[in-house]
């Protein structure tokens, strides 16, 4: 659907925009670095753990580009997905996330099928970041089928049940938004839907409590935890979704909250882009290295 395509573009641009200040946990240092400017497409990119060119995806975004390419070319099937994922992990020249390293080792060690669902103790936000792609390719399904397909894809290489639950929660939220609901109504629906995982309901309550208390974005992320692990990343993304008025404001606020801001940015960016695709600045599209190729891949006309 068009909304699904907008979700993908919104996610990838948010990730690329945030990459230049990725994984800076000292927010005072981050504020000094950015100064009077803005964090998006910060140049030179200043992540302490890798050095990519400005406009590139973070490791999170690159991982999801691999999923996108696979879903464009295939109906999901575990063995072929594992093969495609191994092609990515074994040839990637950037910084692999921990779960991807574990998958690579398991595949090279001869494991296949369910044995490649690794990371039972790794609750990183891989599932949550798949939400835009799940909605784009499976959002036409009814909710029961959508949950089944989403969980199958998330769990095919990540065995952490709670991480999968937050992936489902993010995908359900985004699917509701893509169907035309406002953010407030989508959250209300998620709270009333009987298939919403309990951990997601708890996270929503946590976020609403901090918003009611007037907690700032930076303070909320510190309290939730600034890492990519569940439920921290989901709570952080949801906080900025509920406290920002548009795409630009949300991505900037999330970036300046520091930590693993890229792990929060993809769900956040996709939500705002399906609410209003025109809210993504044209200049940000031009600065995102993957934009033109991705738009062509999913059938978005960029000639206008």
């Amino acid at each position: 659907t068009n909304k699904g395509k907008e979700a993908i573009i919104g996610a990838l641009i948010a990730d690329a925009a945030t990459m230049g200040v990725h994984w800076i946990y000292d927010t005072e240092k981050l504020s000094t670095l950015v100064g009077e400017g803005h964090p998006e497409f910060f140049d030179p990119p200043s992540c302490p753990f890798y050095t990519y060119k400005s406009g590139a995806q973070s490791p999170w975004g690159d991982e999801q580009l691999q999923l996108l390419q696979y879903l464009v070319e295939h109906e999901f099937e575990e063995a072929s997905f594992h093969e495609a994922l191994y092609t990515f992990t074994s040839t990637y020249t950037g910084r692999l996330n921990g779960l991807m390293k574990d998958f690579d080792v398991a595949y090279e060690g001869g494991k296949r099928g369910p044995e490649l669902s690794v990371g039972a103790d790794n609750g990183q936000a891989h599932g949550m970041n798949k939400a835009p792609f799940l909605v784009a390719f499976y959002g036409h399904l009814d909710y029961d089928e959508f949950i089944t397909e989403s969980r199958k894809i998330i769990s095919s290489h990540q065995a952490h049940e709670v991480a999968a639950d937050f992936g489902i929660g993010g995908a359900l939220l985004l699917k509701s938004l893509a169907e035309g609901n406002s953010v407030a109504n989508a959250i209300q629906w998620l709270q009333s839907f009987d298939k919403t995982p309990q951990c997601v309901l708890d996270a929503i309550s946590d976020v609403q409590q901090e918003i009611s208390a007037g907690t700032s974005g930076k303070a909320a992320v510190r309290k939730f935890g600034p890492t990519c692990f569940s439920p921290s990343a989901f709570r952080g993304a949801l906080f900025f979704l509920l406290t920002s008025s548009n795409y630009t404001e949300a991505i900037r606020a999330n970036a300046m909250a520091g930590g693993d801001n890229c792990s929060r940015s993809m769900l956040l960016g996709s939500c705002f882009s399906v609410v209003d695709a025109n809210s993504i600045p044209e200049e940000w599209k031009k600065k995102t290295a993957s934009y033109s190729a991705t738009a062509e891949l999913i059938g978005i006309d960029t000639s206008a």
Side-chain angles (χ1 to χ4, degrees), residues 31-55:
S31 294
T32 300
L33 182 70
V34 174
E36 296 299 314
H38 296 299
E40 67 269 13
F41 300 99
F42 188 81
D43 202 8
S46 298
C47 173
F49 299 105
Y50 62 82
T51 302
Y52 294 177
K53 291 182 180 179
S54 183

Side-chain angles (χ1 to χ4, degrees), residues 222-236:
R222 281 198 302 272
K223 187 168 185 178
F224 297 150
T227 72
C228 64
F229 287 87
S230 308
S232 300
F234 183 88
R235 291 188 295 190

Side-chain angles (χ1 to χ4, degrees), residues 232-272:
S232 300
F234 183 88
R235 291 188 295 190
L238 187 60
F239 183 94
F240 293 113
L241 176 63
L242 294 175
T243 57
S244 304
S245 58
N246 57 57
Y247 186 95
T248 299
E249 180 186 328
I251 301 311
R252 285 175 174 170
N254 174 62
M256 292 305 296
D260 198 346
N261 39 21
C262 284
S263 74
R264 305 186 297 264
S265 70
M266 297 187 77
L267 178 61
L268 180 62
S270 65
C271 286
F272 270 103

Side-chain angles (χ1 to χ4, degrees), residues 72-304:
V72 167
E73 297 174 353
H74 305 83
E75 287 288 327
F76 182 83
E77 188 272 326
E78 187 180 74
S80 66
F81 175 66
H82 285 161
E83 183 178 354
L85 184 57
Y86 174 67
T87 298
F88 167 74
T89 60
S90 61
T91 59
Y92 188 56
T93 57
R95 184 189 188 278
L96 285 174
N97 284 313
L99 188 77
M100 294 293 96
K101 293 177 184 177
D102 291 344
F103 172 88
D104 192 64
V105 169
Y107 196 97
E108 289 188 346
K111 293 185 177 181
R112 296 294 184 269
E115 291 182 320
L116 286 170
S117 184
V118 296
D121 59 348
N122 186 324
Q124 292 178 334
H126 299 271
M128 188 178 92
N129 286 330
K130 288 180 173 60
F133 308 91
L134 298 172
V135 170
F137 287 89
Y138 301 100
H140 62 283
L141 300 174
D142 67 39
Y143 277 93
D144 284 346
E145 291 178 303
F146 179 70
I147 290 170
T148 298
E149 289 301 312
S150 297
R151 190 173 292 278
K152 179 171 68 176
I153 292 172
I154 293 169
S155 299
S156 67
H157 69 93
Q158 185 175 20
H160 196 285
E161 188 172 334
V162 174
D165 283 344
F166 280 106
I168 298 299
L172 288 172
L173 171 61
L174 185 57
K175 178 171 162 61
S176 181
L177 293 173
E179 290 171 349
N181 292 304
S182 67
V183 171
N185 286 344
I187 293 294
Q188 193 172 39
W189 170 81
L190 201 57
Q191 290 175 301
S192 65
F193 183 49
D194 63 357
K195 300 292 176 61
T196 302
Q198 184 60 47
C199 61
V200 173
L201 297 175
D202 293 342
I204 293 172
S205 179
D206 292 342
V207 170
Q208 290 174 329
Q209 184 175 335
E210 295 305 322
I211 292 172
S212 295
T215 307
S216 70
K218 288 182 180 180
V221 167
R222 281 198 302 272
K223 187 168 185 178
F224 297 150
T227 72
C228 64
F229 287 87
S230 308
S232 300
F234 183 88
R235 291 188 295 190
L238 187 60
F239 183 94
F240 293 113
L241 176 63
L242 294 175
T243 57
S244 304
S245 58
N246 57 57
Y247 186 95
T248 299
E249 180 186 328
I251 301 311
R252 285 175 174 170
N254 174 62
M256 292 305 296
D260 198 346
N261 39 21
C262 284
S263 74
R264 305 186 297 264
S265 70
M266 297 187 77
L267 178 61
L268 180 62
S270 65
C271 286
F272 270 103
S273 62
V274 299
V275 171
D276 180 11
N278 294 324
S279 67
I280 302 176
E282 289 299 316
E283 188 65 22
W284 290 24
K285 295 178 183 178
K286 294 175 183 175
K287 288 183 176 181
T288 300
S290 70
Y291 173 68
S292 294
T294 300
E296 182 178 356
L297 182 66
I298 62 178
I300 291 181
D301 183 4
T302 62
S303 61

